[in-house]
Amino acid sequence: MIYRILIFLFCFSVYSKPISITNKRDLDFGTLVQGDPKKVISPKGSEPNNARFLVKGDKNTSYTILLPTEAYIYLGGNGSQKIKVRNFKSRPAAGANGLLNSKGKQTVKVGATLNAIGVNKAPGAYSGSFTIDVIY
């Protein structure tokens, strides 16, 4: 009597949609003048000048938010005159606090503190950029 044993191996591949982040609104410190004190922009939803980002990925999935420790805005976007931006905060808070909804989306709001404007800072339009990362 011959017995045949058949072994079936199933290999399942699991993959995730790539997580993405899109800038929907810039962080805006408004119009300031020489000698102004530091300006704080909150990440709260009621703050009209905070940055807003749309995060997309797998539905009902948690993710981590990484914020910069500091950045700079520059006169003319790249000049030698600069002002430090620090104390970045987000809502949801930075760390493993993001959670995509049933449609795979979440809005992240970001605020920060702009250092005081020195009386010797040249007038003009200052701008810059910062990076936030999102990771499954």
Side-chain angles (χ1 to χ4, degrees):
M1 185 181 273
I2 300 175
Y3 292 96
R4 292 192 180 158
I5 300 175
L6 296 175
I7 300 175
F8 293 100
L9 297 176
F10 291 98
C11 183
F12 293 97
S13 178
V14 177
Y15 70 94
S16 296
K17 284 183 185 178
I19 193 167
S20 67
I21 185 166
T22 305
N23 181 358
K24 293 298 186 182
R25 185 170 74 194
D26 293 334
L27 184 60
D28 184 359
F29 290 101
T31 302
L32 303 166
V33 298
Q34 294 169 327
D36 273 354
K38 70 180 181 183
K39 181 155 186 186
V40 178
I41 302 292
S42 167
K44 291 182 180 176
S46 60
E47 171 60 61
N49 295 326
N50 58 22
R52 305 252 170 129
F53 298 90
L54 179 62
V55 179
K56 290 182 181 179
D58 284 335
K59 62 184 179 178
N60 303 316
T61 301
S62 61
Y63 65 94
T64 299
I65 302 165
L66 302 172
L67 298 175
T69 55
E70 64 182 37
Y72 290 90
I73 57 173
Y74 297 90
L75 179 60
N78 61 2
S80 62
Q81 290 280 324
K82 64 184 179 182
I83 305 168
K84 185 187 271 189
V85 181
R86 59 188 170 77
N87 199 25
F88 284 85
K89 294 186 178 181
S90 66
R91 198 167 255 193
N97 297 308
L99 179 61
L100 300 174
N101 65 17
S102 62
K103 294 182 180 180
K105 298 178 182 180
Q106 184 174 43
T107 298
V108 176
K109 298 164 190 140
V110 177
T113 300
L114 179 70
N115 277 1
I117 311 301
V119 295
N120 61 344
K121 284 293 177 197
Y126 284 73
S127 63
S129 63
F130 66 92
T131 301
I132 73 169
D133 293 309
V134 289
I135 305 166
Y136 281 132

